[in-house]
Amino acid sequence: MFCRLSSLSLGLVFLVAPALSQQIFDVWATTWDRSQLFKYTNLSPNPVNFVSPGAAGKADIVVDDSSVFQTIAGFGATLTDSSALVLNNLKNKNPANYWSVLGTLFDPTDGVYSAGLSYLRVSLGASDFSANVYSFDDVAWDSGLYDFNINNAPSYLFSVINDIRSINRYLKVHLLPWSPPGWMKDSGTMNGGSFNSAYISVYANYLLKSIQGFQSHGINAYAISIQNEPENSDGTYPTCLVTADQEAEIGRTLRILLDAYGFPNVRIIGYEHNWIDAGGFPIQVMQEAQSAFAGVAFHCYSGSVGQQDTFHNAFPDKEIYFTECTGTYGSDWWSDIKWNMDNIFTGSLNHGSSSGLLWNLALDGNGNPKLPGTSSCPKPCRPVVTVNSDGSYSFNQEFYVLGQASKAILPRDVNGPFGQRIGASVGGSLSGLLRVIAFETGRVKASDWKRYSLVVLNWDDNQNGNWDPTPIKATIEFRGKQATYTFPVGVTTLWWYAP
């Protein structure tokens, strides 16, 4: 829908002098006052040029593509049963709006107005956002799993995932349970309690069958976790205490099964809990079962993002994922944008994460529907998109942070690679007012220029205790050249190309 360098003009650039490389044409911006909401601007015919360097700005951003870090798996949210129900109801009420919502959320086509979300987390069995408590085998002591039935999950869960898959070929689906079946626990119920080690082998087979069950619906798992939030037990919704020893043994058993039954590429992800215990549970799991686990995942509800480094320093070759955080209805829009960008979409990635996921993809304006009786989300949890019973919808602040980040890492070419994080830092007297992260996206053809992306949060909204949003004029250093750009207070994503 846009006249863009990357689709129309870039070919011409290849035919002229190399000096025309390293020009910023493409800008996506979301500003504090919402005057720009994920707004695309093509700077043609007046791009921002990288030229011979002059004096560094008071904010000087250095992009170093000689320092290459993790490949980004994607950004997204959790498609809970409730999210799938809300979206399915929208499909029945207003199909045009349903497909518009999915397109705006998931279309990865280069240049379109879409966040291009590419990573979904999906519960195996009930969570706190389900219509009722269920597992895939609720027949007590069925150690042979003869009564396992993937279709205990609501049919709309599978249909919505497949509708999303029809839009985004790159979609990664990460499966995980909120609880094993109740009969595998000391509580006898999915709501709270502890896992019984006598069922380690049975539970590993249960997880294998879950992957096979999703495959039977045309959905291939990218990853599976052993247990959501294994250090949490709550008697009002599906939760389960699983020790690090138990998780390690389940992971070892599951890895053997996955390899034997044709799923060698499905990642097993450990932990799935808060930053605060980064030096405990996940490290113990790796010490006991390093070969079984591809990595670990973190949530935001306790601790701080820098604690990811504790795990990364101990196991630098293991993957890190950030997979859950939620806002609540009624909080300040701009404060939420700042927190999410600082802690997740620059912070978590700069501390080694390969993903940035938020909680519910879709709910109604009251944060419903929830599991009856759950204590979860006492203040209504806010989804990425609010869908109303009349068929209308609105995107929340979660959409804009996801979109700004996702535009920086999506494949430039069909079936091309996702972006890799590269070195980026800020110097100068105003350095503390910007948060930055940079990416390099490779190309299908080696002769095509790579795309470089820079995501910048300018949170300079206060001067001496007084509200005063101030744009920052910054220099950008790249390969011995320098560009100058004025960043509004908000989030800005820039693209340029270089050989």
Side-chain angles (χ1 to χ4, degrees), residues 158 161-163 165-166 171 173 211-221:
F158 303 115
I161 295 172
N162 280 316
D163 285 345
R165 290 179 61 247
S166 74
L171 185 71
V173 176
I211 291 174
Q212 292 171 323
F214 270 77
Q215 186 184 55
S216 73
H217 284 273
I219 301 162
N220 294 319

Side-chain angles (χ1 to χ4, degrees), residues 186-437:
D186 64 356
S187 60
T189 173
M190 291 180 68
N191 292 354
S194 300
F195 180 71
N196 183 341
S197 293
Y199 291 102
I200 283 174
S201 179
V202 177
Y203 189 40
N205 275 279
Y206 176 90
L207 295 175
L208 169 67
K209 282 181 171 290
S210 297
I211 291 174
Q212 292 171 323
F214 270 77
Q215 186 184 55
S216 73
H217 284 273
I219 301 162
N220 294 319
Y222 167 79
I224 187 167
S225 295
I226 305 299
Q227 170 64 40
N228 180 65
E229 299 189 345
E231 297 176 305
N232 178 37
S233 174
D234 188 311
T236 71
Y237 69 97
T239 50
C240 184
L241 295 175
V242 177
T243 69
D245 288 340
Q246 289 173 328
E247 181 161 290
E249 191 169 351
I250 295 166
R252 287 194 298 266
T253 306
L254 179 59
R255 181 74 271 162
I256 293 170
L257 290 171
L258 292 178
D259 292 346
Y261 283 87
F263 300 101
N265 296 322
V266 174
R267 291 161 164 80
I268 301 177
I269 305 301
Y271 190 47
E272 281 279 353
H273 213 160
N274 292 323
W275 287 318
I276 196 166
D277 197 22
F281 191 113
I283 286 180
Q284 184 178 344
V285 168
M286 286 298 166
Q287 288 171 337
E288 297 183 19
Q290 184 173 171
S291 63
F293 288 82
V296 300
F298 291 101
H299 298 178
C300 76
Y301 305 115
S302 182
S304 59
V305 64
Q307 290 174 287
Q308 288 181 188
D309 291 347
T310 305
F311 176 82
H312 178 70
N313 293 338
F315 293 95
D317 295 329
K318 290 299 180 179
E319 296 171 343
I320 295 174
Y321 294 83
F322 183 87
T323 53
E324 189 182 313
C325 196
T326 190
T328 55
Y329 279 114
S331 59
D332 180 70
W333 190 90
W334 170 231
S335 295
D336 292 338
I337 294 284
K338 288 189 291 184
W339 194 94
N340 278 287
M341 290 305 304
D342 182 35
N343 288 279
I344 301 175
F345 297 102
T346 64
S348 182
L349 273 68
N350 277 326
H351 290 282
S353 177
S354 297
S355 68
L357 275 68
L358 300 176
W359 185 203
N360 282 278
L361 181 67
L363 295 171
D364 69 17
N366 296 311
N368 290 320
K370 292 196 295 185
L371 182 72
T374 182
S375 65
S376 178
C377 291
K379 292 182 179 180
C381 283
R382 186 180 55 240
V384 177
V385 58
T386 296
V387 178
N388 304 307
S389 59
D390 64 0
S392 62
Y393 62 90
S394 59
F395 293 106
N396 298 313
Q397 42 268 59
E398 287 77 6
F399 169 79
Y400 298 103
V401 292
L402 283 163
Q404 292 287 157
S406 184
K407 280 299 180 190
I409 58 91
L410 286 171
R412 170 59 183 85
D413 306 311
V414 174
N415 293 327
F418 276 66
Q420 278 186 284
R421 183 171 71 90
I422 56 176
S425 60
V426 189
S429 60
L430 300 181
S431 61
L433 301 176
L434 301 182
R435 292 289 182 266
V436 303
I437 192 165

Side-chain angles (χ1 to χ4, degrees), residues 30-32 59 305 334-344 346-347 426 429-436 455-464 466-472 487-492:
T30 296
T31 54
W32 72 273
V305 64
W334 170 231
S335 295
D336 292 338
I337 294 284
K338 288 189 291 184
W339 194 94
N340 278 287
M341 290 305 304
D342 182 35
N343 288 279
I344 301 175
T346 64
V426 189
S429 60
L430 300 181
S431 61
L433 301 176
L434 301 182
R435 292 289 182 266
V436 303
V455 183
V456 178
L457 166 67
N458 173 6
W459 56 3
D460 184 13
D461 56 18
N462 192 288
Q463 296 290 328
N464 300 317
N466 298 312
W467 179 253
D468 184 21
T470 304
I472 292 180
F487 292 94
V489 176
V491 188
T492 303

Side-chain angles (χ1 to χ4, degrees), residues 142-160:
D142 180 23
S143 295
L145 301 175
Y146 302 113
D147 288 287
F148 182 98
N149 186 357
I150 198 69
N151 294 317
N152 288 354
S155 60
Y156 49 75
L157 177 67
F158 303 115
S159 64
V160 171

